[in-house]
Amino acid sequence: MVHSKNAVLGILLLTGAAVVLGAGTAARAELITITIHNARPAGGGVLSPTLFTVHDGSYTQFTPGAAASLGVERTAEDGNATFARDAALQSPAVFASERVAGTPLVPGDTRTLTFDLDPANPRATYLSFLSMFVPSNDAFIGNPTNGFRLFDAGGNLIRREGATTIRILGSQIWDAGTEVNDEIPGNALGLGVPSLPNQGTTENGVVRLHQGFIGSQGLGGSLGTILTAAPFADFTSNPSEFIVAEITIVPAPGVGAAVGLASLTALIRRRRR
């Protein structure tokens, strides 16, 4: 269920997509689909089920140079965005917050999530995202401030697809600063050994851009366990061309056709009167 504090609409999540159950009282509903695609090749890294948050632009998920919140820590260490979602829904700046359904996104995977929004609602104008980069101790992707604007001044959806697709690069991978980057199996999620929540060594650091994994071009030295397990996950090798993920924002599929059919039906009825 898409979690919205306004509860203007019931939405059922099914295989990563949302199905509208009932319309609310918004003056102008805009059903939009957000898609995230893991753009890495095999061995290039996995993404935890991504959290998307719709807000008024003042909501901040994290601040570079400051300690990570519990929500960011649990997302970055364990891939569990439940805490971040619950924290978002407590903010008066947030309209809705939900994770995509399904398992973690392996290279090539795509997940979708649909929101019903009112462009006139100030709390439904920006979009933020949050996801763990696996394998790692506490690497993640996300935007620290504002987010991406959803509607222009005229209330029209700003479509992001093709050349305007949002691309997250290797230079945009963050280190939560909550766990030492020891790359020890059992501490770092995704190394083939069961990892318990909050299992690694506490770092007590701050959120910062990630310097790279052991043995990466950014750090040097012999390959560590992460780049041994995921040889194409060295985002420091060419960070400006290392595409982690792509996010598209478009009208929900079939919405235009449904509206057109409804208009045609109404016209036919009027002509029969």
Side-chain angles (χ1 to χ4, degrees):
M1 203 77 169
V2 170
H3 295 262
S4 170
K5 294 186 292 185
N6 274 9
V8 297
L9 171 70
I11 297 181
L12 176 65
L13 292 179
L14 180 61
T15 63
V19 179
V20 178
L21 297 180
T25 59
R28 175 186 168 188
E30 184 82 19
L31 197 64
I32 67 171
T33 292
I34 301 162
T35 300
I36 183 162
H37 169 67
N38 184 333
R40 300 304 304 146
V46 176
L47 298 174
S48 67
T50 309
L51 176 73
F52 287 106
T53 301
V54 178
H55 55 92
D56 66 7
S58 68
Y59 180 69
T60 301
Q61 297 188 114
F62 62 94
T63 301
S69 66
L70 175 63
V72 169
E73 178 181 3
R74 294 276 64 84
T75 301
E77 291 185 8
D78 309 317
N80 181 1
T82 301
F83 296 90
R85 182 199 65 194
D86 292 348
L89 292 173
Q90 294 300 311
S91 170
V94 170
F95 174 80
S97 185
E98 186 55 86
R99 295 166 296 180
V100 297
T103 57
L105 285 77
V106 300
D109 271 0
T110 297
R111 297 281 190 278
T112 61
L113 187 65
T114 298
F115 288 104
D116 189 273
L117 306 175
D118 176 4
N121 186 337
R123 295 192 301 122
T125 51
Y126 286 86
L127 178 74
S128 293
F129 67 95
L130 191 68
S131 182
M132 181 182 183
F133 185 83
V134 183
S136 73
N137 286 91
D138 58 351
F140 71 99
I141 59 173
N143 51 288
T145 58
N146 293 337
F148 298 94
R149 192 169 183 89
L150 291 170
F151 302 100
D152 62 21
N156 303 302
L157 178 67
I158 301 172
R159 296 178 65 123
R160 290 181 166 90
E161 57 184 330
T164 59
T165 293
I166 299 167
R167 289 182 173 84
I168 298 92
L169 305 177
S171 58
Q172 298 168 306
I173 293 181
W174 297 92
D175 184 331
T178 57
E179 187 173 303
V180 176
N181 295 325
D182 55 22
E183 301 190 12
I184 296 174
N187 289 353
L189 185 67
L191 291 180
V193 176
S195 177
L196 298 176
N198 200 27
Q199 187 71 14
T201 303
T202 301
E203 182 179 358
N204 292 319
V206 297
V207 178
R208 59 193 183 275
L209 288 174
H210 206 295
Q211 293 182 314
F213 301 126
I214 298 173
S216 65
Q217 288 192 24
L219 289 183
S222 301
L223 285 182
T225 54
I226 287 178
L227 292 183
T228 298
F232 299 108
D234 182 7
F235 52 84
T236 69
S237 60
N238 196 349
S240 63
E241 296 185 12
F242 186 105
I243 302 176
V244 180
E246 297 174 321
I247 297 174
T248 61
I249 305 171
V250 297
V255 170
V259 172
L261 179 60
S263 299
L264 178 60
T265 301
L267 178 61
I268 292 173
R269 286 176 177 172
R270 284 198 297 270
R271 287 183 174 179
R272 286 177 175 175
R273 289 176 181 176

